[in-house]
Amino acid sequence: MRTTHPTPPPAPGRRAFLAGGLAALGLGLAGCGPADTVLSGRRRLRQWNLFTGGDGARMVQMHDAYRREHPDIDFEPATFLWGNPFYTKFAMGAAGGRAFDIATLHVSRIRGMGAGTLIDPVPTDLLAEHGITRDTVLANVWDKCVVDGELYAIPLDTHLVVTYYNREVCERAGVLEPDGTLVTTSGEEEFLDVLAAVKEATGQYGIAMDTTQPWRQFWSLYRQLGGEMSFDGDLRLDDDKALRSLDFLRRVSEEGLAPQASDAPGTPANFQNGICGLMWAGNWEIATFADAGMDFGMRPFPDIYGAELGQGDSHCFVLPHRRVPDDAAVAAAVGYAAWMLKHSITWAGGGHTPAYLPVTRGDDYAALEPQSEYRHAAADVQFDPEAWFSGSAAPLQNEASAVLSGVHNGSVTPEAALERFKAAARKLIDTPEPV
């Protein structure tokens, strides 16, 4: 998974696109080419995904293994740049009806990407034949894949914001347990004390976080306070809890415990270079530090307001809507997804926590360090609020990050940032849903 969040295209243009030219393109796609199995005698299976970098390499590794075990499948994966380039391509392909047989999405986007229109329900009876049910998958993630009582996605993993710690720096700061893990804290002051000790050890900062994309930190803190957010007709949120969350982020930066400006690529670099001893970031950054030979550990997002809750999401497999039913193609796609879940120990190497419980409960996963230090956090991952404009790389995250980042550098007060966020959210509520 990448850490950049491209700005989404304007909604009206996308709506017009889906309503007009896209349909024409889809009809063209549907009308060309031979039947899937005519030429090769093998079942053709086209898979679209959004994985590049380290995730992409692991996906290729898994796909190579899948091909070796399924010589009867003519498997054709295709990778696209994640964010709006991928989601726009997905909408085009799904509207066309025959561009792909299965694709990866973020669970937080399945409602906005057309569950019930562009995305077909998953046949749970067929999935159960492969041993994949609600009982064998993280229940909280499975439930997020259900829309209006029907399963629309097959979850592969959970990925969330966690705490990284440099073991050498933290040992000098005196904030490690005897077993070499980071001390557990509870409440604002205990965590700030740890940051102050680490700052003294580094001589610069205690922690780094992406200040240009503060939504993950904000949502984690807000949810720890029990904050809710909804958009049904109007914006509903708890101002007091939102301000308390923002004020904590302001305090960390203002007191010099974290850089006031640190972007997505700069944040892991700051951690790796020893400018700070801790970092808040997604668990997918693990390969960067492992490859560098760092001695580091990982814990869930800290308990600042009562629980170690962290914002996150899940990669999942979805089936496009088919104008003409094709049971054989659906069966091949579901079989592929089930195989990927059962072999997701490879996927776990990149930091993502597999959704398939037999994998995370196995000895191989328990032996993975530092993945096993934070695996329990996946059961309490805090998904973004539900709306067509919410979720990974969706407009709400981008709007929130644009206005909340000023809290870190002192250019805006928490009160002013919250009012700007509320105004941006209300504009999104008034924007027609494009799918």
Side-chain angles (χ1 to χ4, degrees):
M1 178 167 181
R2 293 162 57 93
T3 53
T4 53
H5 285 182
T7 302
R14 185 179 175 197
R15 179 184 179 83
F17 178 64
L18 290 170
L22 176 57
L25 175 60
L27 288 171
L29 289 172
C32 63
D36 290 345
T37 59
V38 169
L39 297 180
S40 68
R42 302 156 67 202
R43 165 55 57 187
R44 187 183 184 194
L45 180 62
R46 298 155 299 180
Q47 187 263 14
W48 283 11
N49 66 79
L50 42 67
F51 300 117
T52 57
D55 283 350
R58 284 182 180 78
M59 184 62 64
V60 169
Q61 183 181 350
M62 294 175 73
H63 283 169
D64 287 345
Y66 174 79
R67 282 194 185 92
R68 288 194 294 272
E69 292 187 21
H70 299 83
D72 57 322
I73 300 291
D74 182 12
F75 185 62
E76 298 177 5
T79 301
F80 303 95
L81 184 64
W82 103 280
N84 279 325
F86 176 78
Y87 289 119
T88 303
K89 186 77 174 178
F90 174 89
M92 293 171 61
R98 286 196 58 193
F100 58 90
D101 299 300
I102 190 166
T104 53
L105 279 183
H106 286 96
V107 166
S108 64
R109 300 297 299 271
I110 58 175
R111 290 175 182 267
M113 293 307 298
T117 52
L118 297 181
I119 302 173
D120 276 351
V122 175
T124 53
D125 54 344
L126 182 57
L127 192 60
E129 291 179 10
H130 292 279
I132 309 297
T133 67
R134 189 176 184 277
D135 292 336
T136 61
V137 171
L138 277 170
N140 60 323
V141 181
W142 176 280
D143 292 344
K144 292 297 290 187
C145 298
V146 175
V147 179
D148 296 331
E150 293 201 85
L151 185 72
Y152 277 94
I154 305 169
L156 173 64
D157 67 25
T158 300
H159 48 277
L160 71 171
V161 61
V162 296
T163 304
Y164 292 73
Y165 58 94
N166 181 321
R167 194 168 276 111
E168 188 273 329
V169 170
C170 289
E171 184 175 26
R172 282 193 280 117
V175 295
L176 291 184
E177 300 284 5
D179 65 356
T181 59
L182 184 67
V183 295
T184 302
T185 60
S186 179
E188 293 183 356
E189 298 309 320
E190 284 190 15
F191 186 69
L192 292 174
D193 287 346
V194 167
L195 295 189
V198 175
K199 172 184 169 69
E200 186 173 346
T202 64
Q204 297 190 68
Y205 300 104
I207 190 169
M209 64 189 87
D210 184 354
T211 62
T212 65
Q213 300 282 339
W215 169 259
R216 291 192 180 99
Q217 296 90 270
F218 166 75
W219 187 245
S220 300
L221 296 168
Y222 184 69
R223 291 296 297 144
Q224 287 191 9
L225 287 164
E228 301 285 351
M229 191 178 296
S230 64
F231 311 93
D232 187 14
D234 195 8
L235 172 64
R236 291 177 176 80
L237 60 75
D238 189 313
D239 280 21
D240 291 339
K241 292 172 180 174
L243 286 173
R244 188 173 178 184
S245 304
L246 291 174
D247 193 61
F248 181 76
L249 295 177
R250 174 201 62 76
R251 185 178 171 189
V252 171
S253 292
E254 189 173 274
E255 295 183 6
L257 299 172
Q260 291 186 327
S262 183
D263 60 13
T267 298
N270 287 334
F271 178 67
Q272 186 173 344
N273 293 336
I275 291 173
C276 54
L278 275 65
M279 179 180 74
W280 282 344
N283 54 7
W284 52 87
E285 298 285 1
I286 189 171
T288 301
F289 311 121
D291 292 345
M294 278 187 71
D295 184 8
F296 71 102
M298 296 164 70
R299 282 193 48 78
F301 194 86
D303 164 11
I304 306 296
Y305 297 123
E308 294 181 328
L309 303 181
Q311 184 270 356
D313 207 334
S314 166
H315 296 121
C316 62
F317 297 106
V318 297
L319 306 175
H321 174 65
R322 291 180 179 276
R323 294 173 181 169
V324 179
D326 187 339
D327 292 342
V330 171
V334 170
Y336 157 80
W339 188 95
M340 294 294 284
L341 265 65
K342 292 180 177 179
H343 294 78
S344 54
I345 186 64
T346 301
W347 193 239
H352 307 302
T353 305
Y356 187 56
L357 295 175
V359 170
T360 55
R361 291 171 178 168
D363 293 340
D364 289 345
Y365 188 81
L368 285 180
E369 293 291 346
Q371 286 90 333
S372 59
E373 289 186 54
Y374 60 84
R375 62 177 168 180
H376 60 282
D380 291 317
V381 60
Q382 298 300 300
F383 288 93
D384 286 3
E386 291 185 354
W388 70 261
F389 47 76
S390 181
S392 293
L396 184 71
Q397 279 195 7
N398 294 331
E399 294 288 349
S401 294
V403 299
L404 303 184
S405 60
V407 171
H408 283 285
N409 61 32
S411 64
V412 65
T413 64
E415 290 78 7
L418 179 59
E419 289 307 312
R420 293 177 187 176
F421 169 71
K422 290 160 71 174
R426 290 189 171 109
K427 284 186 178 179
L428 291 173
I429 292 172
D430 293 337
T431 302
E433 186 173 350
V435 177

